[in-house]
Amino acid sequence: MAHLKLKGLRKSYAEVETLHGIDLDIQDGEFVVFVGPSGCGKSTLLRCIAGLEEITAGELWIGDQLVNEVPPAKRGIAMVFQSYALYPHMSVAENMAFGLRLAGFTKDAMKAAVARAAQILQIEHLLDRKPKALSGGQRQRVAIGRAIVRKPGVFLFDEPLSNLDAALRVQMRVELSRLHRELQTTMVYVTHDQVEAMTLANRIVVLSAGRIEQVGTPMELYHRPVNRFVAGFIGSPKMNFIEGTLSGPSQVRLADGSNVTVTADSGRLAVGAKVTVGIRPEHIVASATRTEGAVQAHVQLAEHLGDSTYLHVTVGNAPEPLTIRTDPENPLNTGDTAWLVLPPARCFLFDEQGITLP
Ligand code: ADP
Ligand code: MG
């Protein structure tokens, strides 16, 4: 078990800086997820923590030790990658014990460690098999087992579920949560999948272009994103953004001339300022009948998912359609005119720079 501290961590490859000063504290036993679009630096940051990349500037602490110069094997960490990298000629048990043999464990100690990990991962019946006789999910479990046997202070995961099909990903997600509860070890997990981030994390770190945008619990990020980037990244389907101009205090005029009232405080902006209203698909109320103040829209497509229906609608000449999640009994269908109510308390207001107004 260990806490982590990153202070002004920078990483450059040749002349190009990839991480631009990362400050982050990870508590002992915490499950922290790094999330962000492809290429934003998640893997680089994880590899810096692992010691697979040298950091260019700043400090990295694991427990009470400054580890900038400490080799990977001495950092008390274990890493699980997207590719399982199992030895094909070794059995599951041998694969799991391999690192321990190198570390000079006795036969009995190795056997006990492998048995315990296999029990935790429910792969006891697979110990004598070779990797080629395993499914993708079973192979990934062996790779995780190989990490568990080393009893690391910190587990590092880099998109470990990306090679699995959707159903298996859901199952492994549940198992990883259970694993964390059982081991109570610090885990740092990288994914580009915001659903994985929301479901696994105690805290999420949202990264963009080598910088931290926001750190918070899943619900903090959902309810109080600091900017438009985080607002658009967390939540599925993603938040709708509607461009407009401020027409009065907390009043926004949209391109089609309709007005939206928000509870956010527009105080620091002048009337006429360019703003963006953000509202999540689950918060727009769409109906077939007109009500006072409702915004007129055209249903381009209704997708019936059974438990809910997604309406893709356009407002005036706005280029981007809005997505609405509604209940399956909603009578609106493709081609209909819809009337949208945007509840003021559900609307986010962003300034021209994309910063959330409080
Ligand atoms: P992510 O895991 O978020 O998709 P990465 O950390 O892999 O992103 O990459 C972040 C950036 O660093 C990318 O622009 C990538 O091209 C660059 N990068 C990663 N590894 C290297 C390397 N070994 N040499 C040069 N550039 C690299
Ligand atoms: Mg990556």
Coordinates of all heavy atoms in Angstrom, one line a residue, residues 11-14 16-19 35-47 53 158-159 190-192 207 210, ligand 1:
K11 N 7.2 15.8 -19.0 CA 7.8 14.7 -19.8 C 8.0 15.3 -21.3 O 7.0 15.7 -21.8 CB 7.0 13.4 -19.8 CG 7.5 12.4 -20.8 CD 8.9 11.9 -20.4 CE 9.4 10.9 -21.4 NZ 10.8 10.6 -21.1
S12 N 9.2 15.2 -21.8 CA 9.4 15.6 -23.2 C 10.0 14.4 -23.9 O 10.8 13.7 -23.3 CB 10.3 16.8 -23.3 OG 9.8 17.9 -22.6
Y13 N 9.6 14.3 -25.2 CA 10.3 13.4 -26.1 C 11.1 14.3 -27.0 O 10.5 15.0 -27.7 CB 9.3 12.5 -26.8 CG 8.6 11.5 -26.0 CD1 7.3 11.7 -25.7 CD2 9.3 10.3 -25.5 CE1 6.6 10.7 -24.9 CE2 8.6 9.4 -24.7 CZ 7.3 9.6 -24.4 OH 6.6 8.7 -23.7
A14 N 12.4 14.2 -27.0 CA 13.2 15.1 -27.8 C 12.8 16.5 -27.5 O 12.9 16.9 -26.3 CB 13.1 14.8 -29.3
V16 N 9.8 17.8 -27.9 CA 8.4 18.0 -27.8 C 7.9 17.6 -26.4 O 8.1 16.5 -25.9 CB 7.6 17.1 -28.8 CG1 6.1 17.3 -28.7 CG2 8.1 17.4 -30.2
E17 N 7.3 18.6 -25.7 CA 6.8 18.3 -24.4 C 5.4 17.6 -24.5 O 4.5 18.2 -25.1 CB 6.7 19.6 -23.5 CG 6.5 19.2 -22.1 CD 6.6 20.5 -21.2 OE1 5.6 21.2 -21.0 OE2 7.7 20.6 -20.6
T18 N 5.2 16.5 -23.8 CA 4.0 15.7 -23.8 C 3.1 16.0 -22.6 O 1.9 16.1 -22.6 CB 4.3 14.2 -24.0 OG1 4.9 14.0 -25.2 CG2 3.0 13.4 -23.9
L19 N 3.8 16.1 -21.4 CA 3.1 16.4 -20.1 C 3.7 17.7 -19.6 O 4.9 17.9 -19.5 CB 3.4 15.2 -19.1 CG 2.9 13.8 -19.5 CD1 3.4 12.8 -18.5 CD2 1.4 13.8 -19.6
V35 N -8.5 9.6 -17.4 CA -9.3 9.5 -18.6 C -9.1 10.7 -19.5 O -8.7 11.8 -19.0 CB -10.8 9.4 -18.2 CG1 -11.4 10.7 -17.7 CG2 -11.6 8.8 -19.3
G36 N -9.2 10.5 -20.7 CA -9.0 11.6 -21.7 C -8.9 11.0 -23.1 O -8.8 9.8 -23.2
P37 N -9.0 11.9 -24.1 CA -9.0 11.4 -25.5 C -7.7 10.7 -25.8 O -6.7 11.0 -25.2 CB -9.3 12.6 -26.3 CG -9.0 13.8 -25.4 CD -9.2 13.3 -24.0
S38 N -7.7 10.0 -26.9 CA -6.5 9.3 -27.4 C -5.4 10.4 -27.6 O -5.6 11.4 -28.2 CB -6.8 8.6 -28.6 OG -5.7 7.9 -29.1
G39 N -4.2 10.1 -27.2 CA -3.0 11.0 -27.4 C -2.9 12.1 -26.4 O -2.0 12.9 -26.5
C40 N -3.7 12.1 -25.3 CA -3.6 13.2 -24.4 C -2.5 13.0 -23.3 O -2.2 13.9 -22.6 CB -4.9 13.4 -23.7 SG -5.4 12.1 -22.5
G41 N -1.9 11.8 -23.3 CA -0.7 11.6 -22.4 C -1.0 10.7 -21.2 O -0.2 10.6 -20.3
K42 N -2.1 9.9 -21.3 CA -2.5 9.0 -20.2 C -1.4 7.9 -20.0 O -0.9 7.7 -18.9 CB -3.8 8.3 -20.4 CG -5.0 9.3 -20.7 CD -6.3 8.5 -21.0 CE -6.3 7.7 -22.2 NZ -6.2 8.5 -23.5
S43 N -1.1 7.2 -21.1 CA -0.1 6.2 -21.0 C 1.3 6.7 -20.6 O 2.0 6.1 -19.8 CB 0.0 5.4 -22.3 OG -1.2 4.7 -22.6
T44 N 1.6 7.8 -21.1 CA 2.9 8.4 -20.8 C 3.0 8.7 -19.3 O 4.0 8.4 -18.7 CB 3.1 9.7 -21.6 OG1 3.0 9.4 -23.0 CG2 4.5 10.3 -21.3
L45 N 1.9 9.2 -18.8 CA 1.9 9.5 -17.3 C 2.0 8.3 -16.5 O 2.8 8.2 -15.5 CB 0.6 10.3 -17.0 CG 0.5 10.8 -15.5 CD1 1.7 11.6 -15.1 CD2 -0.8 11.7 -15.4
L46 N 1.3 7.2 -16.9 CA 1.4 6.0 -16.2 C 2.8 5.3 -16.3 O 3.3 4.8 -15.3 CB 0.3 5.0 -16.8 CG -0.1 3.9 -15.8 CD1 -0.9 4.4 -14.7 CD2 -1.0 2.8 -16.6
R47 N 3.4 5.4 -17.5 CA 4.7 4.9 -17.7 C 5.8 5.7 -16.9 O 6.8 5.1 -16.5 CB 5.0 4.8 -19.2 CG 4.2 3.8 -19.9 CD 4.3 4.0 -21.4 NE 5.7 3.7 -21.9 CZ 6.2 2.5 -22.1 NH1 5.5 1.4 -21.9 NH2 7.5 2.4 -22.4
E53 N 9.4 5.3 -18.2 CA 9.9 6.5 -18.9 C 10.5 7.4 -17.8 O 10.0 7.4 -16.7 CB 8.7 7.3 -19.5 CG 7.9 6.6 -20.5 CD 8.6 6.5 -21.8 OE1 9.7 7.1 -22.0 OE2 8.0 5.8 -22.7
D158 N -3.2 -0.1 -17.7 CA -3.3 0.7 -18.9 C -4.3 0.1 -19.9 O -3.9 -0.9 -20.6 CB -1.9 0.9 -19.6 CG -1.9 2.0 -20.7 OD1 -3.0 2.5 -21.0 OD2 -0.9 2.4 -21.2
E159 N -5.5 0.6 -19.9 CA -6.6 0.1 -20.8 C -6.6 -1.4 -20.8 O -6.6 -2.0 -21.9 CB -6.4 0.6 -22.2 CG -6.1 2.1 -22.3 CD -6.9 2.9 -23.3 OE1 -7.9 2.3 -23.8 OE2 -6.7 4.1 -23.4
V190 N -5.8 3.6 -16.4 CA -6.0 4.5 -17.6 C -7.0 3.9 -18.5 O -7.1 2.8 -18.8 CB -4.6 4.5 -18.3 CG1 -4.8 5.0 -19.7 CG2 -3.6 5.4 -17.6
T191 N -7.9 4.8 -19.0 CA -8.9 4.4 -20.0 C -9.3 5.6 -20.8 O -9.2 6.8 -20.4 CB -10.1 3.8 -19.3 OG1 -11.0 3.4 -20.3 CG2 -10.8 4.7 -18.4
H192 N -9.8 5.4 -22.0 CA -10.4 6.5 -22.8 C -11.9 6.4 -22.7 O -12.6 7.2 -23.3 CB -9.9 6.5 -24.3 CG -10.4 5.2 -25.0 ND1 -9.7 4.0 -24.9 CD2 -11.5 5.0 -25.6 CE1 -10.4 3.1 -25.6 NE2 -11.5 3.7 -26.0
L207 N -7.8 14.3 -18.3 CA -6.6 14.9 -19.0 C -7.0 15.4 -20.4 O -7.8 14.8 -21.0 CB -5.5 13.9 -19.1 CG -4.8 13.4 -17.8 CD1 -4.1 12.1 -18.0 CD2 -3.8 14.5 -17.3
G210 N -2.0 16.8 -22.4 CA -0.9 16.8 -21.4 C -1.1 17.6 -20.2 O -0.2 17.9 -19.5
Ligands
ADP1 P1 -2.7 8.3 -24.6 O1 -2.2 7.1 -23.8 O2 -3.4 9.3 -23.8 O3 -3.4 7.9 -25.8 P2 0.2 8.7 -25.0 O4 0.6 8.9 -23.6 O5 0.4 7.3 -25.5 O6 -1.4 9.1 -25.1 O7 0.8 9.8 -25.9 C1 0.8 11.1 -25.6 C2 1.7 11.9 -26.7 O8 3.0 11.5 -26.5 C3 1.3 11.5 -28.1 O9 1.3 12.7 -28.8 C4 2.4 10.6 -28.5 O10 2.6 10.7 -29.9 C5 3.6 11.1 -27.7 N1 4.5 10.0 -27.5 C6 4.2 8.9 -26.7 N2 5.3 8.1 -26.6 C7 6.3 8.6 -27.4 C8 7.6 8.3 -27.7 N3 8.2 7.2 -27.3 N4 8.3 9.1 -28.5 C9 7.8 10.3 -29.0 N5 6.5 10.7 -28.7 C10 5.8 9.9 -27.9

